[in-house]
Amino acid sequence: MPYRVPRTPGAVRTCVLVVLLGVCGIAILELVREQTGTPGFFVGLGLALLPVAPLVAAFRWVGRAAPHPWAQLAFCFGWGACAAALIAILANSFATQWIAAATADPSDADQLGSVAIAPVVEESAKAAALLLVFLFRRRQFTGPSDGFVMAGLTATGFAFTENILYLGNAFDEDVENGTGVLNSVTAATFFVRGVMSPFAHPLFTVATGLGFGAAALAAGRMRRIGLPVLGLTSAMGLHALWNSSSDLGESGFYVVYGCVMVPVFGLLAWLAVWIRRRRLRALARELALYAAAGWLSPAEVPALASMPARSLARALARSTGGRPAGRAVALYEADAAALALLRHRARSGGPAREPDFAGRERELLRRLWLRRATAGPALSRAAVLEDLLPPRFDPLGPLGSLLGSSPGVPLDPSAPVRAPGLVPGPRRSGPVPSAMTAGPP
């Protein structure tokens, strides 16, 4: 009998999700095409693509301090665009028809469906992607930043499909009425949904993502359940308020937009910047311990805690070693960020939060050590070119001379650290030692 490699449960789940998203994508596209017609579908598709790139870039910017796997980001976007959109369009249509049959008033059914039914259905469908990641990829949830990014990409995918439907229907209406371009319903719809409020759906769902991110750091079971529910409830409330703005009179839309949506958007923008800076400071604090133990050079710490320096290091590596060298530096930066966040989470939650801390730390350290010959010089040079080192920095001296100028980094790397064991020193050959049985560097 020929030998067959057994499939792991993770691979089976991945195949099932890919097939599920593919079927949902085909179904939702066919439903949208039937409602808008083929010309309207392609016009809506082209216009709906325009806000996607800026939104994806913005959420990627928030999460670049600790990059997420592309497969996970693609899953979130695909779930929002395919599965969540399909669930929403079917459930909303069924609920609206049922209310219309029960009340014999289609106008009231549409109004009640948009305010009471649609926010619950749509936000729950989008939150399902975060719940799946939270249950089966708990390691990817290291804090609010991860929930922020994944929720934003899921909502961006959902808004993309929804915009195809609205813009396609508007184009069909303009074709039937023979309306000009400037006075068309299509132009007005695109201005409202693509220019004034492309952030609406991401703004709602980010509240759910922050709830899941906070739950990943919570200690008690009630908090791990209650925080996502609180975030989901907030998302539904904001969504319902936004949908009801058109029913609050002629100026209702502008009042809700100016008094609620814009301030909340500004708050979330500030929160995104604060989360990114906070994560970079956490990286600097944790990586300083590994630099003190000899796993990193002292000059690498400020470079890894600076996004411009990371980008410069990749460019320097590509200029000397080509794309493989640039890829090695990118993987080195991602592994260093994952290592720092692993230790940060274990420090805050204890051994119960990270029961396999030693094994995961050993694997990440091994991968860093294999790429250090390529990535270390590029990062050190980037730190020099970006002027991140103090004037009297001694590369062979103690680490404190470097860390004294970095905010949030402990001045004394030998101070006691509440973490699962000491950081081991590197070895030239043999297996990477466990953090629980560390020796001197």
PDB file of all heavy atoms in Angstrom, residues 95-132:
ATOM      1  N   ALA A  95     -36.704  38.297   6.885  1.00  0.00           N
ATOM      2  CA  ALA A  95     -37.311  39.039   7.999  1.00  0.00           C
ATOM      3  C   ALA A  95     -38.223  40.148   7.491  1.00  0.00           C
ATOM      4  O   ALA A  95     -39.327  40.369   8.031  1.00  0.00           O
ATOM      5  CB  ALA A  95     -36.215  39.616   8.891  1.00  0.00           C
ATOM      6  N   THR A  96     -37.790  40.863   6.438  1.00  0.00           N
ATOM      7  CA  THR A  96     -38.618  41.941   5.908  1.00  0.00           C
ATOM      8  C   THR A  96     -39.918  41.410   5.316  1.00  0.00           C
ATOM      9  O   THR A  96     -41.005  41.986   5.526  1.00  0.00           O
ATOM     10  CB  THR A  96     -37.831  42.721   4.848  1.00  0.00           C
ATOM     11  OG1 THR A  96     -36.622  43.232   5.430  1.00  0.00           O
ATOM     12  CG2 THR A  96     -38.645  43.885   4.320  1.00  0.00           C
ATOM     13  N   GLN A  97     -39.837  40.304   4.589  1.00  0.00           N
ATOM     14  CA  GLN A  97     -41.050  39.707   4.022  1.00  0.00           C
ATOM     15  C   GLN A  97     -41.993  39.211   5.116  1.00  0.00           C
ATOM     16  O   GLN A  97     -43.222  39.350   5.005  1.00  0.00           O
ATOM     17  CB  GLN A  97     -40.672  38.564   3.081  1.00  0.00           C
ATOM     18  CG  GLN A  97     -39.950  39.015   1.824  1.00  0.00           C
ATOM     19  CD  GLN A  97     -39.475  37.855   0.982  1.00  0.00           C
ATOM     20  OE1 GLN A  97     -39.740  36.693   1.296  1.00  0.00           O
ATOM     21  NE2 GLN A  97     -38.752  38.162  -0.097  1.00  0.00           N
ATOM     22  N   TRP A  98     -41.437  38.649   6.162  1.00  0.00           N
ATOM     23  CA  TRP A  98     -42.274  38.155   7.258  1.00  0.00           C
ATOM     24  C   TRP A  98     -42.969  39.303   7.978  1.00  0.00           C
ATOM     25  O   TRP A  98     -44.156  39.233   8.305  1.00  0.00           O
ATOM     26  CB  TRP A  98     -41.416  37.359   8.233  1.00  0.00           C
ATOM     27  CG  TRP A  98     -42.203  36.784   9.363  1.00  0.00           C
ATOM     28  CD1 TRP A  98     -42.951  35.646   9.363  1.00  0.00           C
ATOM     29  CD2 TRP A  98     -42.305  37.329  10.684  1.00  0.00           C
ATOM     30  NE1 TRP A  98     -43.525  35.440  10.597  1.00  0.00           N
ATOM     31  CE2 TRP A  98     -43.148  36.461  11.433  1.00  0.00           C
ATOM     32  CE3 TRP A  98     -41.775  38.455  11.306  1.00  0.00           C
ATOM     33  CZ2 TRP A  98     -43.457  36.694  12.760  1.00  0.00           C
ATOM     34  CZ3 TRP A  98     -42.086  38.693  12.636  1.00  0.00           C
ATOM     35  CH2 TRP A  98     -42.924  37.813  13.346  1.00  0.00           C
ATOM     36  N   ILE A  99     -42.241  40.401   8.218  1.00  0.00           N
ATOM     37  CA  ILE A  99     -42.842  41.553   8.882  1.00  0.00           C
ATOM     38  C   ILE A  99     -43.915  42.179   7.987  1.00  0.00           C
ATOM     39  O   ILE A  99     -44.993  42.584   8.455  1.00  0.00           O
ATOM     40  CB  ILE A  99     -41.760  42.584   9.254  1.00  0.00           C
ATOM     41  CG1 ILE A  99     -40.806  42.001  10.301  1.00  0.00           C
ATOM     42  CG2 ILE A  99     -42.400  43.858   9.797  1.00  0.00           C
ATOM     43  CD1 ILE A  99     -39.621  42.887  10.599  1.00  0.00           C
ATOM     44  N   ALA A 100     -43.637  42.259   6.680  1.00  0.00           N
ATOM     45  CA  ALA A 100     -44.620  42.830   5.765  1.00  0.00           C
ATOM     46  C   ALA A 100     -45.893  41.989   5.720  1.00  0.00           C
ATOM     47  O   ALA A 100     -47.009  42.522   5.670  1.00  0.00           O
ATOM     48  CB  ALA A 100     -44.022  42.953   4.370  1.00  0.00           C
ATOM     49  N   ALA A 101     -45.753  40.662   5.748  1.00  0.00           N
ATOM     50  CA  ALA A 101     -46.927  39.797   5.749  1.00  0.00           C
ATOM     51  C   ALA A 101     -47.698  39.889   7.059  1.00  0.00           C
ATOM     52  O   ALA A 101     -48.929  39.788   7.088  1.00  0.00           O
ATOM     53  CB  ALA A 101     -46.509  38.354   5.488  1.00  0.00           C
ATOM     54  N   ALA A 102     -46.983  40.102   8.160  1.00  0.00           N
ATOM     55  CA  ALA A 102     -47.650  40.162   9.463  1.00  0.00           C
ATOM     56  C   ALA A 102     -48.332  41.495   9.692  1.00  0.00           C
ATOM     57  O   ALA A 102     -49.390  41.562  10.348  1.00  0.00           O
ATOM     58  CB  ALA A 102     -46.641  39.900  10.578  1.00  0.00           C
ATOM     59  N   THR A 103     -47.764  42.584   9.158  1.00  0.00           N
ATOM     60  CA  THR A 103     -48.324  43.916   9.393  1.00  0.00           C
ATOM     61  C   THR A 103     -49.077  44.468   8.208  1.00  0.00           C
ATOM     62  O   THR A 103     -49.759  45.497   8.345  1.00  0.00           O
ATOM     63  CB  THR A 103     -47.194  44.896   9.757  1.00  0.00           C
ATOM     64  OG1 THR A 103     -46.262  44.966   8.653  1.00  0.00           O
ATOM     65  CG2 THR A 103     -46.466  44.448  11.007  1.00  0.00           C
ATOM     66  N   ALA A 104     -48.945  43.842   7.048  1.00  0.00           N
ATOM     67  CA  ALA A 104     -49.592  44.299   5.809  1.00  0.00           C
ATOM     68  C   ALA A 104     -49.201  45.732   5.464  1.00  0.00           C
ATOM     69  O   ALA A 104     -49.985  46.494   4.895  1.00  0.00           O
ATOM     70  CB  ALA A 104     -51.110  44.186   5.913  1.00  0.00           C
ATOM     71  N   ASP A 105     -47.970  46.110   5.814  1.00  0.00           N
ATOM     72  CA  ASP A 105     -47.472  47.461   5.510  1.00  0.00           C
ATOM     73  C   ASP A 105     -46.009  47.342   5.081  1.00  0.00           C
ATOM     74  O   ASP A 105     -45.117  47.296   5.923  1.00  0.00           O
ATOM     75  CB  ASP A 105     -47.590  48.360   6.739  1.00  0.00           C
ATOM     76  CG  ASP A 105     -47.335  49.825   6.402  1.00  0.00           C
ATOM     77  OD1 ASP A 105     -46.814  50.095   5.299  1.00  0.00           O
ATOM     78  OD2 ASP A 105     -47.665  50.689   7.234  1.00  0.00           O
ATOM     79  N   PRO A 106     -45.715  47.285   3.786  1.00  0.00           N
ATOM     80  CA  PRO A 106     -44.330  47.104   3.330  1.00  0.00           C
ATOM     81  C   PRO A 106     -43.395  48.229   3.758  1.00  0.00           C
ATOM     82  O   PRO A 106     -42.221  47.978   4.045  1.00  0.00           O
ATOM     83  CB  PRO A 106     -44.465  47.036   1.800  1.00  0.00           C
ATOM     84  CG  PRO A 106     -45.885  46.631   1.565  1.00  0.00           C
ATOM     85  CD  PRO A 106     -46.675  47.247   2.675  1.00  0.00           C
ATOM     86  N   SER A 107     -43.877  49.463   3.817  1.00  0.00           N
ATOM     87  CA  SER A 107     -43.000  50.579   4.196  1.00  0.00           C
ATOM     88  C   SER A 107     -42.545  50.443   5.639  1.00  0.00           C
ATOM     89  O   SER A 107     -41.358  50.647   5.954  1.00  0.00           O
ATOM     90  CB  SER A 107     -43.723  51.910   3.996  1.00  0.00           C
ATOM     91  OG  SER A 107     -44.892  51.979   4.809  1.00  0.00           O
ATOM     92  N   ASP A 108     -43.466  50.112   6.540  1.00  0.00           N
ATOM     93  CA  ASP A 108     -43.066  49.898   7.932  1.00  0.00           C
ATOM     94  C   ASP A 108     -42.154  48.687   8.063  1.00  0.00           C
ATOM     95  O   ASP A 108     -41.251  48.671   8.920  1.00  0.00           O
ATOM     96  CB  ASP A 108     -44.304  49.702   8.808  1.00  0.00           C
ATOM     97  CG  ASP A 108     -45.069  51.000   9.019  1.00  0.00           C
ATOM     98  OD1 ASP A 108     -44.485  52.073   8.728  1.00  0.00           O
ATOM     99  OD2 ASP A 108     -46.233  50.948   9.460  1.00  0.00           O
ATOM    100  N   ALA A 109     -42.369  47.675   7.249  1.00  0.00           N
ATOM    101  CA  ALA A 109     -41.515  46.496   7.296  1.00  0.00           C
ATOM    102  C   ALA A 109     -40.093  46.845   6.894  1.00  0.00           C
ATOM    103  O   ALA A 109     -39.126  46.405   7.527  1.00  0.00           O
ATOM    104  CB  ALA A 109     -42.079  45.407   6.382  1.00  0.00           C
ATOM    105  N   ASP A 110     -39.916  47.662   5.846  1.00  0.00           N
ATOM    106  CA  ASP A 110     -38.569  48.068   5.427  1.00  0.00           C
ATOM    107  C   ASP A 110     -37.895  48.904   6.501  1.00  0.00           C
ATOM    108  O   ASP A 110     -36.697  48.730   6.785  1.00  0.00           O
ATOM    109  CB  ASP A 110     -38.650  48.859   4.123  1.00  0.00           C
ATOM    110  CG  ASP A 110     -39.057  47.980   2.946  1.00  0.00           C
ATOM    111  OD1 ASP A 110     -38.853  46.752   3.036  1.00  0.00           O
ATOM    112  OD2 ASP A 110     -39.581  48.526   1.955  1.00  0.00           O
ATOM    113  N   GLN A 111     -38.652  49.826   7.119  1.00  0.00           N
ATOM    114  CA  GLN A 111     -38.067  50.673   8.150  1.00  0.00           C
ATOM    115  C   GLN A 111     -37.673  49.861   9.382  1.00  0.00           C
ATOM    116  O   GLN A 111     -36.566  50.019   9.916  1.00  0.00           O
ATOM    117  CB  GLN A 111     -39.062  51.755   8.544  1.00  0.00           C
ATOM    118  CG  GLN A 111     -38.549  52.702   9.622  1.00  0.00           C
ATOM    119  CD  GLN A 111     -39.570  53.762   9.969  1.00  0.00           C
ATOM    120  OE1 GLN A 111     -40.627  53.851   9.349  1.00  0.00           O
ATOM    121  NE2 GLN A 111     -39.255  54.579  10.977  1.00  0.00           N
ATOM    122  N   LEU A 112     -38.565  48.980   9.816  1.00  0.00           N
ATOM    123  CA  LEU A 112     -38.255  48.160  10.984  1.00  0.00           C
ATOM    124  C   LEU A 112     -37.115  47.195  10.691  1.00  0.00           C
ATOM    125  O   LEU A 112     -36.259  46.947  11.547  1.00  0.00           O
ATOM    126  CB  LEU A 112     -39.506  47.378  11.412  1.00  0.00           C
ATOM    127  CG  LEU A 112     -39.375  46.498  12.659  1.00  0.00           C
ATOM    128  CD1 LEU A 112     -38.994  47.339  13.872  1.00  0.00           C
ATOM    129  CD2 LEU A 112     -40.666  45.724  12.911  1.00  0.00           C
ATOM    130  N   GLY A 113     -37.086  46.655   9.465  1.00  0.00           N
ATOM    131  CA  GLY A 113     -36.009  45.741   9.116  1.00  0.00           C
ATOM    132  C   GLY A 113     -34.654  46.420   9.102  1.00  0.00           C
ATOM    133  O   GLY A 113     -33.658  45.850   9.559  1.00  0.00           O
ATOM    134  N   SER A 114     -34.572  47.656   8.601  1.00  0.00           N
ATOM    135  CA  SER A 114     -33.283  48.351   8.530  1.00  0.00           C
ATOM    136  C   SER A 114     -32.784  48.798   9.895  1.00  0.00           C
ATOM    137  O   SER A 114     -31.578  48.902  10.114  1.00  0.00           O
ATOM    138  CB  SER A 114     -33.404  49.563   7.606  1.00  0.00           C
ATOM    139  OG  SER A 114     -34.310  50.516   8.151  1.00  0.00           O
ATOM    140  N   VAL A 115     -33.709  49.066  10.837  1.00  0.00           N
ATOM    141  CA  VAL A 115     -33.302  49.581  12.148  1.00  0.00           C
ATOM    142  C   VAL A 115     -33.153  48.475  13.188  1.00  0.00           C
ATOM    143  O   VAL A 115     -32.209  48.499  13.994  1.00  0.00           O
ATOM    144  CB  VAL A 115     -34.325  50.632  12.635  1.00  0.00           C
ATOM    145  CG1 VAL A 115     -33.975  51.102  14.044  1.00  0.00           C
ATOM    146  CG2 VAL A 115     -34.360  51.811  11.675  1.00  0.00           C
ATOM    147  N   ALA A 116     -34.042  47.499  13.164  1.00  0.00           N
ATOM    148  CA  ALA A 116     -34.052  46.480  14.219  1.00  0.00           C
ATOM    149  C   ALA A 116     -33.474  45.145  13.783  1.00  0.00           C
ATOM    150  O   ALA A 116     -32.863  44.442  14.599  1.00  0.00           O
ATOM    151  CB  ALA A 116     -35.484  46.270  14.732  1.00  0.00           C
ATOM    152  N   ILE A 117     -33.648  44.765  12.520  1.00  0.00           N
ATOM    153  CA  ILE A 117     -33.228  43.442  12.066  1.00  0.00           C
ATOM    154  C   ILE A 117     -31.829  43.463  11.462  1.00  0.00           C
ATOM    155  O   ILE A 117     -30.956  42.671  11.839  1.00  0.00           O
ATOM    156  CB  ILE A 117     -34.236  42.871  11.041  1.00  0.00           C
ATOM    157  CG1 ILE A 117     -35.642  42.842  11.647  1.00  0.00           C
ATOM    158  CG2 ILE A 117     -33.803  41.476  10.607  1.00  0.00           C
ATOM    159  CD1 ILE A 117     -35.773  41.989  12.873  1.00  0.00           C
ATOM    160  N   ALA A 118     -31.601  44.386  10.531  1.00  0.00           N
ATOM    161  CA  ALA A 118     -30.328  44.410   9.805  1.00  0.00           C
ATOM    162  C   ALA A 118     -29.114  44.577  10.731  1.00  0.00           C
ATOM    163  O   ALA A 118     -28.114  43.869  10.558  1.00  0.00           O
ATOM    164  CB  ALA A 118     -30.359  45.515   8.751  1.00  0.00           C
ATOM    165  N   PRO A 119     -29.126  45.497  11.706  1.00  0.00           N
ATOM    166  CA  PRO A 119     -27.938  45.609  12.563  1.00  0.00           C
ATOM    167  C   PRO A 119     -27.621  44.325  13.323  1.00  0.00           C
ATOM    168  O   PRO A 119     -26.448  43.950  13.454  1.00  0.00           O
ATOM    169  CB  PRO A 119     -28.309  46.746  13.523  1.00  0.00           C
ATOM    170  CG  PRO A 119     -29.316  47.549  12.783  1.00  0.00           C
ATOM    171  CD  PRO A 119     -30.106  46.555  12.001  1.00  0.00           C
ATOM    172  N   VAL A 120     -28.654  43.642  13.818  1.00  0.00           N
ATOM    173  CA  VAL A 120     -28.417  42.408  14.571  1.00  0.00           C
ATOM    174  C   VAL A 120     -27.872  41.316  13.664  1.00  0.00           C
ATOM    175  O   VAL A 120     -26.883  40.637  13.988  1.00  0.00           O
ATOM    176  CB  VAL A 120     -29.723  41.948  15.257  1.00  0.00           C
ATOM    177  CG1 VAL A 120     -29.515  40.609  15.964  1.00  0.00           C
ATOM    178  CG2 VAL A 120     -30.200  42.998  16.245  1.00  0.00           C
ATOM    179  N   VAL A 121     -28.485  41.146  12.505  1.00  0.00           N
ATOM    180  CA  VAL A 121     -28.070  40.081  11.593  1.00  0.00           C
ATOM    181  C   VAL A 121     -26.678  40.352  11.039  1.00  0.00           C
ATOM    182  O   VAL A 121     -25.798  39.469  11.051  1.00  0.00           O
ATOM    183  CB  VAL A 121     -29.100  39.946  10.446  1.00  0.00           C
ATOM    184  CG1 VAL A 121     -28.585  38.988   9.377  1.00  0.00           C
ATOM    185  CG2 VAL A 121     -30.435  39.461  10.997  1.00  0.00           C
ATOM    186  N   GLU A 122     -26.437  41.553  10.543  1.00  0.00           N
ATOM    187  CA  GLU A 122     -25.172  41.848   9.885  1.00  0.00           C
ATOM    188  C   GLU A 122     -23.997  41.838  10.856  1.00  0.00           C
ATOM    189  O   GLU A 122     -22.929  41.284  10.554  1.00  0.00           O
ATOM    190  CB  GLU A 122     -25.278  43.197   9.172  1.00  0.00           C
ATOM    191  CG  GLU A 122     -26.278  43.184   8.024  1.00  0.00           C
ATOM    192  CD  GLU A 122     -26.446  44.544   7.373  1.00  0.00           C
ATOM    193  OE1 GLU A 122     -25.670  45.466   7.737  1.00  0.00           O
ATOM    194  OE2 GLU A 122     -27.326  44.697   6.501  1.00  0.00           O
ATOM    195  N   GLU A 123     -24.160  42.438  12.021  1.00  0.00           N
ATOM    196  CA  GLU A 123     -23.058  42.457  12.981  1.00  0.00           C
ATOM    197  C   GLU A 123     -22.786  41.064  13.544  1.00  0.00           C
ATOM    198  O   GLU A 123     -21.638  40.712  13.802  1.00  0.00           O
ATOM    199  CB  GLU A 123     -23.357  43.438  14.111  1.00  0.00           C
ATOM    200  CG  GLU A 123     -23.439  44.893  13.661  1.00  0.00           C
ATOM    201  CD  GLU A 123     -22.206  45.344  12.916  1.00  0.00           C
ATOM    202  OE1 GLU A 123     -21.090  44.905  13.261  1.00  0.00           O
ATOM    203  OE2 GLU A 123     -22.356  46.126  11.960  1.00  0.00           O
ATOM    204  N   SER A 124     -23.830  40.269  13.719  1.00  0.00           N
ATOM    205  CA  SER A 124     -23.613  38.889  14.177  1.00  0.00           C
ATOM    206  C   SER A 124     -22.896  38.065  13.114  1.00  0.00           C
ATOM    207  O   SER A 124     -22.009  37.251  13.431  1.00  0.00           O
ATOM    208  CB  SER A 124     -24.950  38.241  14.531  1.00  0.00           C
ATOM    209  OG  SER A 124     -25.598  38.940  15.571  1.00  0.00           O
ATOM    210  N   ALA A 125     -23.255  38.267  11.845  1.00  0.00           N
ATOM    211  CA  ALA A 125     -22.604  37.528  10.765  1.00  0.00           C
ATOM    212  C   ALA A 125     -21.134  37.913  10.652  1.00  0.00           C
ATOM    213  O   ALA A 125     -20.270  37.050  10.442  1.00  0.00           O
ATOM    214  CB  ALA A 125     -23.326  37.791   9.444  1.00  0.00           C
ATOM    215  N   LYS A 126     -20.834  39.178  10.796  1.00  0.00           N
ATOM    216  CA  LYS A 126     -19.425  39.599  10.749  1.00  0.00           C
ATOM    217  C   LYS A 126     -18.659  39.128  11.975  1.00  0.00           C
ATOM    218  O   LYS A 126     -17.474  38.760  11.886  1.00  0.00           O
ATOM    219  CB  LYS A 126     -19.348  41.123  10.619  1.00  0.00           C
ATOM    220  CG  LYS A 126     -19.777  41.640   9.254  1.00  0.00           C
ATOM    221  CD  LYS A 126     -19.662  43.147   9.159  1.00  0.00           C
ATOM    222  CE  LYS A 126     -20.757  43.867   9.898  1.00  0.00           C
ATOM    223  NZ  LYS A 126     -20.693  45.335   9.728  1.00  0.00           N
ATOM    224  N   ALA A 127     -19.303  39.140  13.136  1.00  0.00           N
ATOM    225  CA  ALA A 127     -18.628  38.693  14.359  1.00  0.00           C
ATOM    226  C   ALA A 127     -18.302  37.206  14.330  1.00  0.00           C
ATOM    227  O   ALA A 127     -17.415  36.757  15.072  1.00  0.00           O
ATOM    228  CB  ALA A 127     -19.497  39.008  15.571  1.00  0.00           C
ATOM    229  N   ALA A 128     -18.991  36.438  13.487  1.00  0.00           N
ATOM    230  CA  ALA A 128     -18.712  35.003  13.407  1.00  0.00           C
ATOM    231  C   ALA A 128     -17.281  34.742  12.958  1.00  0.00           C
ATOM    232  O   ALA A 128     -16.655  33.772  13.404  1.00  0.00           O
ATOM    233  CB  ALA A 128     -19.707  34.332  12.458  1.00  0.00           C
ATOM    234  N   ALA A 129     -16.736  35.582  12.080  1.00  0.00           N
ATOM    235  CA  ALA A 129     -15.341  35.403  11.654  1.00  0.00           C
ATOM    236  C   ALA A 129     -14.390  35.588  12.828  1.00  0.00           C
ATOM    237  O   ALA A 129     -13.437  34.806  13.002  1.00  0.00           O
ATOM    238  CB  ALA A 129     -15.016  36.399  10.541  1.00  0.00           C
ATOM    239  N   LEU A 130     -14.627  36.598  13.642  1.00  0.00           N
ATOM    240  CA  LEU A 130     -13.774  36.825  14.810  1.00  0.00           C
ATOM    241  C   LEU A 130     -13.913  35.686  15.810  1.00  0.00           C
ATOM    242  O   LEU A 130     -12.926  35.281  16.443  1.00  0.00           O
ATOM    243  CB  LEU A 130     -14.147  38.146  15.465  1.00  0.00           C
ATOM    244  CG  LEU A 130     -14.113  39.378  14.554  1.00  0.00           C
ATOM    245  CD1 LEU A 130     -14.570  40.610  15.321  1.00  0.00           C
ATOM    246  CD2 LEU A 130     -12.731  39.587  13.995  1.00  0.00           C
ATOM    247  N   LEU A 131     -15.126  35.170  15.959  1.00  0.00           N
ATOM    248  CA  LEU A 131     -15.332  34.061  16.884  1.00  0.00           C
ATOM    249  C   LEU A 131     -14.569  32.815  16.424  1.00  0.00           C
ATOM    250  O   LEU A 131     -13.972  32.103  17.250  1.00  0.00           O
ATOM    251  CB  LEU A 131     -16.822  33.759  16.999  1.00  0.00           C
ATOM    252  CG  LEU A 131     -17.213  32.597  17.920  1.00  0.00           C
ATOM    253  CD1 LEU A 131     -16.784  32.889  19.355  1.00  0.00           C
ATOM    254  CD2 LEU A 131     -18.711  32.342  17.854  1.00  0.00           C
ATOM    255  N   LEU A 132     -14.563  32.544  15.125  1.00  0.00           N
ATOM    256  CA  LEU A 132     -13.838  31.384  14.619  1.00  0.00           C
ATOM    257  C   LEU A 132     -12.342  31.520  14.870  1.00  0.00           C
ATOM    258  O   LEU A 132     -11.678  30.552  15.287  1.00  0.00           O
ATOM    259  CB  LEU A 132     -14.119  31.215  13.126  1.00  0.00           C
ATOM    260  CG  LEU A 132     -15.531  30.757  12.740  1.00  0.00           C
ATOM    261  CD1 LEU A 132     -15.691  30.762  11.231  1.00  0.00           C
ATOM    262  CD2 LEU A 132     -15.812  29.372  13.298  1.00  0.00           C
TER     263      LEU A 132
END
